[in-house]
Amino acid sequence: DGGITQSPKYLFRKEGQNVTLSCEQNLNHDAMYWYRQDPGQGLRLIYYSQIVNDFQKGDIAEGYSVSREKKESFPLTVTSAQKNPTAFYLCASSTGQLNQPQHFGDGTRLSIL
Amino acid sequence: AQKITQTQPGMFVQEKEAVTLDCTYDTSDPSYGLFWYKQPSSGEMIFLIYQGSYDQQNATEGRYSLNFQKARKSANLVISASQLGDSAMYFCAMTGTSYGKLTFGQGTILTVHP
């Protein structure tokens, strides 16, 4: 089945540690996105990528980093500089066209130990 | 900059009745798209319906319809014949000229009573 796979489902981070969230898609989409969702809130854009080897900061990029070495993959690293990383992280992909929806993975819940 | 406002933090509806979830937006882009997503308690985001800014007719998808009033900058979601499985968080979102970037509202929690 075509779709987006995020792993792990749950992740725990120690103080001062970097952690990486995986996102893989087999929809052949050019564009990929990372969102953060805090409890009871909407989604906020962290980073997005329109094409391989290119990405742009979203609204809340500080403390996060990404790479886009392959079309299928868009991993997100939550660095130790992100002081409040506890949240639900959602990865999405799309063709990038205005009238096409983004398809989402099932998310990763990140907590601080 | 784009902005989406959902003014109803929570809504209740009786099973089999219709319900309207409000969404207003603001943008300076001449061309844009409006989306509604459903998020069950499990967390995944499910695409429901899309409306383009130049579409002449309101979008419909099964029990979902979008009441698009461009002059009022509103894009309300109407769910007809509510079912218990419709209980979830609903998000309104929009794209503009920035390559498919989505701006989300704060969401509305819908609870369907039997």
Side-chain angles (χ1 to χ4, degrees), chain A:
Chain A
D1 279 354
I4 299 176
T5 302
Q6 288 188 242
S7 63
K9 195 173 180 68
Y10 299 94
L11 187 58
F12 298 91
R13 194 191 90 169
K14 294 180 181 178
E15 293 287 343
Q17 186 181 43
N18 293 355
V19 293
T20 297
L21 284 60
S22 171
C23 178
E24 304 276 335
Q25 55 102 356
N26 61 4
L27 300 167
N28 199 33
H29 284 164
D30 286 321
M32 296 187 74
Y33 312 83
W34 273 106
Y35 294 92
R36 169 180 172 142
Q37 186 179 27
D38 292 289
Q41 301 295 315
L43 280 65
R44 292 183 291 167
L45 184 66
I46 304 172
Y47 268 99
Y48 66 103
S49 169
Q50 301 173 13
I51 198 167
V52 175
N53 292 324
D54 185 53
F55 49 82
Q56 286 79 39
K57 292 181 179 179
D59 301 318
I60 55 166
E62 185 174 352
Y64 301 96
S65 65
V66 293
S67 63
R68 186 87 186 276
E69 297 176 1
K70 298 187 299 182
K71 187 175 186 177
E72 303 80 18
S73 179
F74 192 40
L76 173 74
T77 297
V78 184
T79 74
S80 57
Q82 173 48 247
K83 297 307 178 188
N84 184 23
T86 298
F88 186 51
Y89 292 86
L90 284 156
C91 178
S93 72
S94 77
T95 62
Q97 294 175 313
L98 199 68
N99 62 348
Q100 295 299 310
Q102 292 186 11
H103 299 264
F104 285 81
D106 289 342
T108 294
R109 294 192 185 275
L110 175 62
S111 301
I112 293 293
L113 283 178

Side-chain angles (χ1 to χ4, degrees), chain B residues 1-96:
Chain B
Q2 299 178 332
K3 185 177 180 181
I4 293 281
T5 302
Q6 295 181 252
T7 57
Q8 306 157 313
M11 288 285 286
F12 296 90
V13 66
Q14 209 69 25
E15 193 178 9
K16 299 180 185 176
E17 294 189 348
V19 62
T20 298
L21 306 183
D22 294 341
C23 172
T24 58
Y25 62 90
D26 192 23
T27 182
S28 56
D29 288 332
S31 181
Y32 51 90
L34 293 152
F35 299 81
W36 278 91
Y37 284 85
K38 172 184 178 181
Q39 187 179 41
S41 58
S42 51
E44 73 269 28
M45 295 287 284
I46 302 167
F47 165 68
L48 297 177
I49 196 167
Y50 164 82
Q51 179 83 43
S53 58
Y54 290 110
D55 292 344
Q56 295 297 315
Q57 293 190 335
N58 287 342
T60 61
E61 288 286 348
R63 294 188 298 111
Y64 304 108
S65 60
L66 203 152
N67 183 3
F68 181 49
Q69 298 187 43
K70 194 171 182 177
R72 298 179 63 181
K73 294 189 175 180
S74 73
N76 299 338
L77 177 70
V78 181
I79 304 175
S80 63
S82 295
Q83 302 172 356
L84 295 178
D86 293 335
S87 294
M89 177 80 94
Y90 288 80
F91 290 101
C92 180
M94 72 180 303
T95 59

